[in-house]
Amino acid sequence: MNQTLAAQLLFALYALVILAGGLAAVLARNLVRAMVGLVMTLFGVAGLYLLLNTPFMAFMQILIYVGAVVVLIFFAIMLTRSPAGGEEAKPRAGRQALLAGLAGLAPAAVLGAALLANPLASATRPAEVELKLLGAHLLTSYVLAFELISVVLFIAMAGAVLLGFTRRKGQ
Amino acid sequence: MTPLQLYQLAALALLALGLFGLVWRRSLVGMLISVELMLNGAGLSIVAAGQLTAADNALAQLATLLVMGLAAAEATLVLAIVLVVVKRFGHGESQDIFELRG
């Protein structure tokens, strides 16, 4: 079937983009390059959301992550004036690389083994959920979670303002 | 391999990369980038589980939206904390800031 082949090819392409971007995000010496790798990964995940027939999530991914979170990270990089020859660029011991690799691979290996040992029945063509339905759910069944996330965002914003606030001397 | 397993393996790769980066990185901003990778993997895993099994599709998408909201809140707070650390220590690297003083 033609559509299946196209889906498989696109999945392989997006997985490659995610892997390459993730490796750049984790290993790049320069933090700005690491951020560009993160952007690449985010676009790859947005492509996977499109393949899963959830276009709304793909747009939200690009809007929230690439539009807001990455800009915040860029602010953090620029405001900390990370020196080019700082700690990040110094060579590291091979033992450290081994331990870090172990820390990353051990949980993933356990979860991956569990995943491969228990194959669940999987749909081949996911159904799209109407946007109207999502909005209705957000305002009826899941209204508590919706309100709580707005409270969390407000508190995070207030906390950020409070932390960045410098008190004048004598007050 | 079923499609569900492939999507979950992609999410697992993001988790492994994020955990590796969290240990490997020496600057606070680099660690923040690794955490964002992991949160993205969590979102992908939830949406794949909702879309490809008999679970409620709308619930999975709303859960991932909440994860995205939490990631935005977390990035805001980490930016503020990094700014405070830079003001106090002069740099944003994690090597010198592990000491507590009461």
Side-chain angles (χ1 to χ4, degrees):
Chain A
M1 186 125 172
N2 246 348
Q3 257 178 338
T4 320
L5 184 69
Q8 282 165 345
L9 279 179
L10 279 175
F11 182 90
L13 177 73
Y14 293 142
L16 210 64
V17 167
I18 287 176
L19 265 186
L23 281 176
V26 168
L27 292 174
R29 295 262 164 100
N30 189 331
L31 278 179
V32 178
R33 283 197 190 139
M35 192 197 71
V36 173
L38 177 68
V39 170
M40 201 169 150
T41 310
L42 296 177
F43 271 110
V45 173
L48 283 188
Y49 282 149
L50 282 180
L51 268 187
L52 278 171
N53 215 351
T54 53
F56 178 61
M57 297 311 299
F59 292 135
M60 281 294 123
Q61 164 97 357
I62 292 173
L63 203 70
I64 296 179
Y65 271 110
V66 184
V69 172
V70 166
V71 172
L72 274 180
I73 292 175
F74 194 60
F75 264 106
I77 295 173
M78 287 294 127
L79 288 175
T80 56
R81 301 180 297 271
S82 332
E87 285 284 342
E88 202 74 66
K90 283 184 193 160
R92 298 155 207 245
R95 193 168 153 273
Q96 205 186 359
L98 188 74
L99 289 179
L102 203 65
L105 278 181
V110 171
L111 289 175
L115 179 70
L116 293 179
N118 305 295
L120 273 178
S122 163
T124 43
R125 195 154 306 177
E128 188 180 348
V129 179
E130 243 187 302
L131 199 51
K132 215 187 277 178
L133 195 68
L134 279 182
H137 270 305
L138 214 47
L139 289 179
T140 53
S141 345
Y142 306 117
V143 69
L144 182 65
F146 183 60
E147 293 299 330
L148 276 180
I149 194 79
S150 61
V151 171
V152 166
L153 276 171
F154 171 69
I155 291 176
M157 201 174 66
V161 170
L162 201 66
L163 279 176
F165 191 71
T166 45
R167 193 173 294 177
R168 255 184 261 155
K169 274 182 186 165
Q171 275 186 341
Chain B
M1 226 183 278
T2 60
L4 178 63
Q5 281 177 323
L6 284 173
Y7 281 103
Q8 300 289 11
L9 280 182
L12 268 182
L14 280 174
L15 171 73
L17 277 171
L19 277 174
F20 172 79
L22 200 59
V23 180
W24 181 249
R25 282 284 183 198
R26 283 167 175 167
S27 59
L28 295 177
V29 182
M31 291 161 91
L32 171 64
I33 289 178
S34 307
V35 171
E36 295 299 336
L37 278 183
M38 279 195 279
L39 283 170
N40 235 279
L44 178 63
S45 172
I46 295 172
V47 170
Q51 289 291 107
L52 294 174
T53 63
D56 187 3
N57 297 11
L59 174 58
Q61 295 193 31
L62 291 177
T64 302
L65 267 186
L66 291 190
V67 170
M68 285 180 186
L70 284 179
E74 172 251 350
T76 318
L77 267 187
V78 170
L79 171 64
I81 291 171
V82 166
L83 283 185
V84 170
V85 166
V86 167
K87 217 186 290 170
R88 190 164 294 181
F89 290 88
H91 58 77
E93 280 149 6
S94 58
Q95 295 297 302
D96 307 330
I97 50 178
F98 53 80
E99 231 172 66
L100 290 177
R101 201 168 58 187

